[in-house]
Amino acid sequence: MLPAPSQGTPVSRTVLLVNPFYPKDVNASFGKHVLTPTLALTSIAGATPAGWTVNYWDENLLQGPPPVHPLPQVVGITVHLTFARRAYELSAWFRAHGCTVILGGLHALSCPDEVQSHADAIAIGNGVPTWPQILRDIEAGTLQPRYEAIYRNYAEDPPPARSILPRWGFLTHASLIATQGCHNRCDFCYLATGDTRIKYQMRSPEQVASEFLSTGAPYGVFIDNNLGSNRAYLRRLCQSLSPLKKIWSAAITLDVTNEPDLVREMALAGCTGVFIGFESLTDDNVRDAGKRSPRADEYARRIEILHRNGIQVNGSFVLGFDHDGPEVFENLARWIEEQRLENATFHILTPYPNTPLFRRMEAERRLLHKDWSLYDTAHCVFTPKNMTPAELETGYAWIYRRVFSLASILARRPRQSSAVVPYVAMSLLYKRSNWLWKWIIRHRLTNALWRPLVELTRWRHLRYRERLAREGSVPSQLISPVPPSV
């Protein structure tokens, strides 16, 4: 709860950047919310002109209400549709204190009129190039209600200001981005919002490696939509990352396995795990979504290419497509166990505002409501074609229980005996410890708990890399140690 606001005198040239509380899906792991900090706000901080003081507050770290002593002159809040209500509460609270509030983020891109009604000004699109102008206009008393920026000159953006982050709060503070955009335009993805066309751009591999090195973190997470969208670029990036002797994970599409030697280069460069949007085991579902992907009957062979190079897989699946029936849950759970996927993430199909999927659902009168707080991929907000909304939500909860069960965790254990114990321990901590995560987060133990495990994994992976470099791709029974991304 936010305490009653009191009118104060804001301190000139001070900024507070706020990441609102993200409602937790009781079926998924709470640990993922403290994996890495938001890169958007640290990038905004990096673009703040000299002479301004910047502070950061993340409500997901469970440290109480945001600070108002001293009272900041400007408050920047990122807005996602699932926590839009909380962002609006925070905005009203800070404005009642006398602060100037700027809202930005994905929800400002998809629903600008709604977001603008809750702020002094909004930033639409890439906020980094517009942020200095917003602060100059505030100083001059000429603040505009809306600022828009197109996605270009990405490589020229200043580096994120990670110094504002509480180091104790996250598994790693090295959230990284090398590319912007994606070669897919899936109709359910926020990248397909309205007429948004994010130009595909790449930062120089040397620039990315230098930034990773400067963080001092042993483990980095690339938040790119698809780090392998340009495979020639990914190959150059791996060559720059390899000398760092760090480990990292990233989201890619399965077609990176078109070049098995590239997968090997990823492993030699420190890649321990990948997040892949398989979306569905039914080709018609993937095709209807507008995603270019290998056929479902090729998934197993391609997963094996990753596994044989020591790269573990977090498979992402969407439930509730038009070709899905009640049998999809049992079939998918069995397939995940057969492929020994180290981790899986599930989402109920959700029509994000102003995407092609949303417009189609709205035209077909299949939307059940527009309560954005339930557009979180854990609730059914539309009428499925081959099951009821209740069946979809029940199946979603069931498959999480099944895949996160001890029996399923053991069924998917690595074939290499020495990796079983760390895999099971990390799986239990990450997947079955929501009761513990709130205590860990509240008592600032996230980094202290995970850092030794990450360092151990990095050490083991360095030994594995040496063997991989000597022997080439290894048999499946010699899969590498479990990475921190699991």
Side-chain angles (χ1 to χ4, degrees):
M1 298 293 293
L2 295 171
S6 58
Q7 187 70 30
T9 302
V11 177
S12 179
R13 308 195 89 191
T14 57
V15 174
L16 178 66
L17 300 175
V18 179
N19 190 35
F21 181 75
Y22 196 111
K24 304 302 181 281
D25 176 4
V26 297
N27 300 295
S29 172
F30 291 1
K32 69 179 182 179
H33 297 280
V34 289
L35 175 63
T36 57
T38 165
L39 188 58
L41 292 182
T42 52
S43 297
I44 291 293
T48 302
W52 286 78
T53 299
V54 183
N55 290 304
Y56 172 86
W57 192 261
D58 193 325
E59 287 200 306
N60 297 283
L61 301 184
L62 306 180
Q63 302 297 304
V68 289
H69 302 290
L71 190 64
Q73 179 185 6
V74 180
V75 177
I77 304 175
T78 185
V79 189
H80 187 282
L81 79 165
T82 51
F83 56 72
R85 184 179 300 167
R86 179 61 176 178
Y88 299 155
E89 291 173 356
L90 289 167
S91 179
W93 187 67
F94 277 112
R95 294 174 84 185
H97 277 90
C99 307
T100 299
V101 175
I102 314 299
L103 298 181
L106 294 176
H107 201 48
L109 180 67
S110 58
C111 298
D113 294 337
E114 174 193 312
V115 175
Q116 189 172 328
S117 67
H118 294 277
D120 295 291
I122 64 171
I124 301 173
N126 183 8
V128 172
T130 59
W131 182 244
Q133 184 61 52
I134 291 173
L135 295 183
R136 286 193 293 269
D137 288 353
I138 289 174
E139 287 192 286
T142 58
L143 182 66
Q144 305 300 308
R146 184 175 297 195
Y147 294 80
E148 297 188 44
I150 59 176
Y151 290 88
R152 65 181 184 187
N153 300 325
Y154 174 62
E156 298 177 7
D157 286 353
R162 294 185 175 86
S163 60
I164 67 174
L165 298 172
R167 297 302 176 95
W168 46 262
F170 304 95
L171 164 60
T172 177
H173 58 277
S175 47
L176 307 162
I177 188 166
T179 66
Q180 195 174 64
C182 181
H183 65 264
N184 280 306
R185 190 173 171 82
C186 306
D187 72 349
F188 56 80
C189 181
Y190 75 90
L191 290 178
T193 298
D195 59 356
T196 300
R197 290 292 188 276
I198 299 178
K199 176 185 175 183
Y200 186 78
Q201 300 178 76
M202 300 163 285
R203 299 168 66 200
S204 76
E206 297 77 16
Q207 181 185 16
V208 176
S210 176
E211 184 179 315
F212 191 1
L213 186 63
S214 70
T215 67
Y219 170 53
V221 178
F222 283 93
I223 66 166
D224 305 53
N225 297 107
N226 178 8
L227 188 62
S229 197
N230 183 314
R231 293 197 290 273
Y233 171 80
L234 178 56
R235 196 180 295 272
R236 295 195 303 272
L237 179 64
C238 288
Q239 292 166 357
S240 294
L241 295 176
S242 182
L244 304 185
K245 299 188 182 302
K246 295 178 182 284
I247 54 177
W248 49 274
S249 58
I252 62 170
T253 48
L254 197 56
D255 55 6
V256 75
T257 56
N258 288 350
E259 301 178 27
D261 64 318
L262 173 57
V263 176
R264 183 173 181 272
E265 285 198 44
M266 292 168 61
L268 290 172
C271 180
T272 58
V274 290
F275 180 92
I276 297 179
F278 294 97
E279 318 310 355
S280 175
L281 301 182
T282 301
D283 291 330
D284 287 341
N285 285 332
V286 179
R287 188 162 41 249
D288 289 352
K291 182 169 186 173
R292 288 173 287 175
S293 175
R295 297 191 313 272
D297 60 10
E298 292 187 8
Y299 287 176
R301 178 183 65 82
R302 292 170 179 268
I303 290 170
E304 184 65 12
I305 293 173
L306 293 160
H307 278 173
R308 294 206 317 182
N309 285 279
I311 297 176
Q312 304 209 5
V313 179
N314 181 352
S316 177
F317 301 91
V318 177
L319 304 166
F321 282 118
D322 285 351
H323 297 280
D324 286 345
E327 72 287 345
V328 66
F329 310 106
E330 175 69 35
N331 292 343
L332 180 56
R334 188 184 310 113
W335 184 88
I336 288 170
E337 290 168 358
E338 290 171 353
Q339 310 312 319
R340 291 181 181 251
L341 288 192
E342 291 78 15
N343 199 7
T345 305
F346 305 102
H347 314 271
I348 292 177
L349 182 66
T350 300
Y352 292 141
N354 207 17
T355 58
L357 177 63
F358 181 91
R359 293 193 295 270
R360 176 165 61 82
M361 290 282 188
E362 190 171 41
E364 295 173 358
R365 300 184 181 275
R366 294 172 63 187
L367 295 179
L368 299 177
H369 56 75
K370 295 182 182 179
D371 180 352
W372 303 140
S373 66
L374 298 179
Y375 277 59
D376 58 358
T377 77
H379 295 85
C380 182
V381 299
F382 71 101
T383 302
K385 278 198 172 181
N386 296 309
M387 62 182 110
T388 67
E391 286 177 318
L392 180 50
E393 289 190 357
T394 299
Y396 168 82
W398 176 87
I399 198 169
Y400 257 123
R401 288 196 305 271
R402 163 74 174 264
V403 174
F404 280 21
S405 69
L406 182 58
S408 183
I409 290 172
L410 291 175
R412 294 178 284 113
R413 66 188 181 278
R415 294 185 178 92
Q416 184 182 6
S417 59
S418 63
V420 172
V421 172
Y423 161 77
V424 172
M426 205 167 292
S427 293
L428 293 177
L429 179 60
Y430 180 70
K431 299 180 181 181
R432 292 177 56 88
S433 301
N434 282 346
W435 59 274
L436 181 60
W437 271 111
K438 286 191 286 187
W439 186 88
I440 292 173
I441 295 168
R442 191 181 301 277
H443 289 83
R444 305 185 176 190
L445 295 173
T446 304
N447 189 266
L449 176 66
W450 280 99
R451 182 68 179 246
L453 299 176
V454 171
E455 285 288 8
L456 176 61
T457 301
R458 187 181 71 88
W459 176 75
R460 289 173 59 119
H461 199 269
L462 286 173
R463 293 178 58 196
Y464 167 77
R465 269 186 249 179
E466 293 174 358
R467 192 178 70 207
L468 181 63
R470 290 194 308 267
E471 302 175 3
S473 184
V474 297
S476 56
Q477 66 267 24
L478 295 177
I479 291 174
S480 72
V482 172
S485 53
V486 171

